[in-house]
Amino acid sequence: VDAKPVKKTEQASPALAAFKAESLQLNSGRFIWADSVTGGHLELSSLPVDLNEVQAEGPIELKASAQLSGEAITLAARIGPLGDISKLDVNRLPLQAELKSKSLGLRSFRSWLPEFPQFLGAAEDATLRLWLKLEHRPDGMRLSTGELSMMAKNSVDARWKAEMANTKRVQLKDFELSLNSRPLLSAQGELKLGNRPGYQLRVKSESIERTWLASLLPELDVMYAAHPSPWKEVKLGALLAGNGNRLELRDVQLKIGRA
């Protein structure tokens, strides 16, 4: 075997020299999580994992899929290059990942789910469709783009774009919420994490007709049954600020249209 001399500036640790493989595979993996407190039970099965070009000098390709309580989930990622493992900083590790699930039932999560509003039906009967894309850049910036749809008694769709320059602040660049394929509201702002969590969000709703809202909340028809001139539609804008203990409404803009 011929070996070329290596300059001191290019020397890698012994661990790095051995960290190289054309591919690594895990077949038929299985993971079970049982919560003795809540009685919750989750099972990941049919868990193949493929790692290609496993090395420190270049990106590692990862492909994985699984059945979560019978529902399919797929993950594709590009990790690295890792560089010198002895100097590895996970906060600056390059990463691109995409997570997908076309139909994930919530029945397996029922022990941890709060009770849904009546117009959404029972939480355990709902299913989710998820598409999530993550990017972690070498400068520490984290980017997230995603779509989440919940099919229940009525369907809810959410789309978002967010940036995270550090572990304590999330900039919500765009958030849209729809109900039964109808745009409902949008939001932008900042979320604070860590020991002092909080938020400051600019929220704006679309025009909401009372008759449409009453199809979800029948009590509105009863409330305005004898009213001589009920409102026809409403549109709201406001700045929401606060934390888990308080909520402030600032710069409230309310537009009410009457019949």
Side-chain angles (χ1 to χ4, degrees):
V1 178
D2 295 329
K4 295 182 180 179
V6 180
K7 296 180 181 179
K8 290 184 179 180
T9 56
E10 297 176 350
Q11 286 181 342
S13 65
L16 259 185
F19 189 75
K20 189 170 184 179
E22 191 172 309
S23 66
L24 294 174
Q25 294 182 338
L26 169 67
N27 295 316
S28 301
R30 189 180 182 193
F31 174 79
I32 298 175
W33 179 17
D35 191 328
S36 60
V37 177
T38 63
H41 181 90
L42 291 177
E43 180 176 337
L44 276 171
S45 60
S46 301
L47 184 59
V49 178
D50 291 332
L51 290 168
N52 297 309
E53 298 296 331
V54 183
Q55 57 178 312
E57 293 81 7
I60 300 171
E61 302 286 343
L62 180 149
K63 292 183 179 180
S65 62
Q67 295 283 327
L68 177 55
S69 299
E71 306 293 347
I73 299 175
T74 61
L75 171 66
R78 184 181 176 91
I79 308 167
L82 303 179
D84 189 341
I85 295 180
S86 65
K87 299 178 181 179
L88 181 63
D89 183 356
V90 295
N91 291 318
R92 297 184 180 276
L93 177 65
L95 169 69
Q96 293 178 326
E98 188 174 30
L99 179 68
K100 293 181 180 180
S101 178
K102 293 183 178 180
S103 179
L104 179 61
L106 294 185
R107 185 171 297 274
S108 299
F109 302 88
R110 60 183 179 274
S111 300
W112 300 288
L113 292 174
E115 186 176 349
F116 279 5
Q118 187 175 1
F119 72 90
L120 289 178
E124 63 185 54
D125 293 333
T127 60
L128 297 181
R129 182 173 63 247
L130 172 66
W131 172 75
L132 176 62
K133 189 173 183 179
L134 298 173
E135 182 179 356
H136 192 183
R137 295 178 177 174
D139 61 2
M141 176 66 75
R142 300 166 178 87
L143 307 176
S144 171
T145 304
E147 298 180 6
L148 177 66
S149 298
M150 184 176 71
M151 284 68 72
K153 187 177 179 180
N154 290 281
S155 62
V156 181
D157 299 291
R159 296 180 177 85
W160 69 87
K161 293 180 181 178
E163 295 182 358
M164 191 173 180
N166 55 56
T167 58
K168 295 183 179 180
R169 292 179 185 271
V170 177
Q171 291 289 335
L172 189 61
K173 295 296 184 179
D174 188 30
F175 176 82
E176 297 178 359
L177 183 69
S178 301
L179 185 60
N180 293 335
S181 301
R182 175 177 180 152
L184 193 61
L185 62 84
S186 60
Q188 297 84 34
E190 182 181 81
L191 307 176
K192 296 180 181 178
L193 309 177
N195 296 330
R196 290 184 158 183
Y199 54 88
Q200 184 167 302
L201 300 173
R202 171 67 64 180
V203 179
K204 181 176 68 174
S205 78
E206 300 296 327
S207 293
I208 303 173
E209 293 88 0
R210 178 179 52 81
T211 52
W212 176 80
L213 191 59
S215 66
L216 305 172
L217 305 173
E219 53 268 28
L220 280 178
D221 280 336
V222 178
M223 186 182 301
Y224 288 98
H227 199 287
S229 179
W231 59 273
K232 180 181 179 181
E233 60 183 12
V234 63
K235 190 173 184 179
L236 173 69
L239 180 66
L240 307 182
N243 52 40
N245 299 320
R246 71 180 172 84
L247 169 65
E248 293 182 18
L249 289 175
R250 306 173 187 169
D251 191 22
V252 178
Q253 302 172 20
L254 182 63
K255 181 180 180 180
I256 298 177
R258 296 193 175 276

